[in-house]
Amino acid sequence: MDDPDRRVTVEVDTTTCVGSGTCAMVDPEHFSVVDGKARVVPGELVATEDLEDAVLDCPVQALRLGDA
């Protein structure tokens, strides 16, 4: 559920990431793929359903969502 008052962080485990691009397809506002690895788009992150889905949908679980 979207929570505009909840700030979050996302960590990418680049050793685990396989660059599938699932995160960028699910939430292109917050993710991109650069040089075959997921990258979090710079800026403040607010908890949204798309962001949480992108983290959960990572096929190799290379993304970690935390509280800011």
Side-chain angles (χ1 to χ4, degrees):
M1 175 182 285
D2 290 0
D3 184 352
D5 295 325
R6 181 175 167 224
R7 304 296 183 251
V8 295
T9 61
V10 176
E11 293 179 30
V12 179
D13 181 347
T14 57
T15 59
T16 302
C17 180
V18 296
S20 72
T22 302
C23 56
M25 286 184 282
V26 172
D27 188 4
E29 180 179 342
H30 293 113
F31 294 96
S32 64
V33 177
V34 178
D35 296 329
K37 300 291 179 179
R39 297 283 185 255
V40 180
V41 174
E44 187 173 66
L45 298 177
V46 175
T48 65
E49 189 172 340
D50 285 346
L51 178 66
E52 292 178 11
D53 286 347
V55 170
L56 292 172
D57 290 350
C58 177
V60 294
Q61 299 174 344
L63 304 173
R64 299 283 180 265
L65 183 65
D67 290 318

